[in-house]
Amino acid sequence: MANSSAVAVPAPTAAPLTSIRVPVWAWALLAVAVFTLYFVSQENGALLGAASAEMLHELTHDARHALGVPCH
Amino acid sequence: MISFGSVLRRGVAAGAAAGLVSALFIWLVVEPVIRKALVIEERRGASGGHAGGHAGESALFTIPASLPTHGGELVTRTQQVIGGAVTSVLVGIAFGVIFAVVFAKARHRLAGATDFWRSLGLATIGFGALTLLPAIVIPANPPAVGDPETVGQRTWLYVLALLLGVAIALAVPMLDRALARRGLTDSTRWSLDVVAALLAIITVVVVLPGTPDVVPDDVPADLLWEFRVASLGQLAAMWVTLGTVFGLLIERAVAAQRDSDGSASGQTPGRDVAAAGSPASA
């Protein structure tokens, strides 16, 4: 925002700031990350079978409470 | 130009650091409060009253009625504490990945003189939108609070607050650019940005209903307050670590990249020449 007029000298701050190109696979990775968050925070039997969901639910229990995610 | 691969690796590293810090924070600060809450749950179980507040079903998620009280047969307390630490590291890494992608996309729009300050700024926005706003709408609760009947409703409320927080974080910069196109001075524009953000936040807090739960009588207000402060503290520690570590790493990586670009002057500005390595990490 501030350095709108580019300085001609190749000083360290001269290069206009651009976003870093994000490849397509990165969005898939982002989806995996969001899914991981869902999985450890919300999985209450919606995807896994009852037994393994229960196990996961109890294992992540303390972190979920600490993270402020609603819990039973 | 720094490659996305090197940004991502730094995001994962910063996320892991944030996860470890939050695991440590849970262990030192949150666990003692959780232990106090579990004592209350056990007392209930012993008096045969509320059965630990655990059995029951919700509209969305079925929680088996056989779910043990904490420290029961299924998972020991030790496992639960270790599981909590592993979970917070996983959560940290997931946030690190998301942080890296958003930083790469939004870098040129973030305020701050250097990448370190841009990173801290993004972490602050993340804390506000993903942590503080949901925490105000539906505050964290220790075990022994929380009606199993309403967990679905509370979860939707939480997710809704979180998404509205993200929406505000996206909308305010759009407003800022629209005002900039109209040629408003910086001070006027920033004042309007702040007013718009505050109005949006207040609207969300006022319009969204509060938690449907009533805190049981045997849970002291002190304990509730202590837990909520500890929970917010843990999340703040996570965001501060994420922003700081990522900022430190990315600033050094950009400086190294600039040096190698500078020494290879005259050649085409090839992406990711030496120091950063293969971008195909995941």
Side-chain angles (χ1 to χ4, degrees):
Chain A
M1 273 179 221
N3 52 353
S4 52
S5 62
V7 190
V9 190
T13 48
L17 202 59
T18 53
S19 64
I20 297 155
R21 214 178 57 81
V22 177
V24 179
W25 56 262
W27 296 106
L29 196 65
L30 184 89
V32 171
V34 172
F35 184 74
T36 306
L37 288 179
Y38 162 76
F39 202 63
V40 298
S41 63
Q42 301 296 347
E43 175 57 42
N44 280 340
L47 291 172
L48 290 177
S52 31
E54 222 178 300
M55 191 73 185
L56 184 76
H57 181 89
E58 289 300 303
L59 274 179
T60 58
H61 174 269
D62 285 24
R64 195 176 43 250
H65 271 288
L67 287 166
V69 178
C71 188
H72 54 89
Chain B
M1 182 72 174
I2 192 161
S3 79
F4 178 73
S6 50
V7 175
L8 180 64
R9 256 172 292 134
R10 281 158 183 85
V12 171
L20 285 172
V21 166
S22 95
L24 191 70
F25 200 102
I26 290 179
W27 185 51
L28 293 175
V29 181
V30 184
E31 281 295 343
V33 190
I34 289 185
R35 275 198 293 275
K36 284 189 214 167
L38 292 181
V39 171
I40 296 172
E41 270 195 346
E42 267 160 39
R43 205 186 301 147
R44 272 183 212 161
S47 67
H50 193 42
H54 264 112
E57 290 185 353
S58 73
L60 267 172
F61 305 110
T62 311
I63 298 164
S66 64
L67 204 66
T69 57
H70 300 105
E73 326 81 64
L74 186 63
V75 176
T76 65
R77 272 305 294 161
T78 316
Q79 282 174 316
Q80 235 170 21
V81 171
I82 295 168
V86 173
T87 306
S88 46
V89 173
L90 278 179
V91 167
I93 291 173
F95 270 122
V97 169
I98 298 167
F99 194 85
V101 174
V102 175
F103 185 87
K105 283 303 277 186
R107 185 189 180 208
H108 58 301
R109 291 198 172 137
L110 290 167
T114 65
D115 282 319
F116 177 76
W117 293 109
R118 283 181 210 114
S119 173
L120 268 189
L122 183 60
T124 310
I125 295 169
F127 175 77
L130 299 177
T131 296
L132 200 53
L133 188 59
I136 290 170
V137 171
I138 177 158
N141 277 329
V145 180
D147 181 358
E149 303 286 327
T150 61
V151 69
Q153 195 184 341
R154 285 181 286 129
T155 301
W156 280 116
L157 205 52
Y158 176 84
V159 172
L160 194 60
L162 194 144
L163 291 178
L164 286 170
V166 173
I168 294 172
L170 292 172
V172 171
M174 281 164 68
L175 171 76
D176 183 76
R177 267 173 275 140
L179 293 176
R181 276 196 298 273
R182 284 167 162 257
L184 271 70
T185 59
D186 284 357
S187 52
T188 314
R189 206 176 75 227
W190 289 333
S191 306
L192 288 173
D193 291 347
V194 171
V195 170
L198 283 176
L199 280 179
I201 291 165
I202 291 168
T203 308
V204 168
V205 173
V206 170
V207 169
L208 285 188
T211 176
D213 286 5
V214 176
V215 177
D217 287 342
D218 57 351
V219 178
D222 270 0
L223 177 73
L224 205 61
W225 169 253
E226 221 181 316
F227 185 82
R228 288 174 179 174
V229 171
S231 163
L232 267 183
Q234 180 250 326
L235 284 158
M238 188 192 83
W239 282 109
V240 166
T241 311
L242 183 58
T244 309
V245 173
F246 184 84
L248 286 170
L249 292 175
I250 202 74
E251 193 163 275
R252 272 150 189 74
V254 169
Q257 184 69 37
R258 201 157 47 213
D259 287 350
S260 70
D261 283 354
S263 65
S265 60
Q267 300 173 7
T268 48
R271 289 186 294 124
D272 198 32
V273 190
S278 149
S281 75

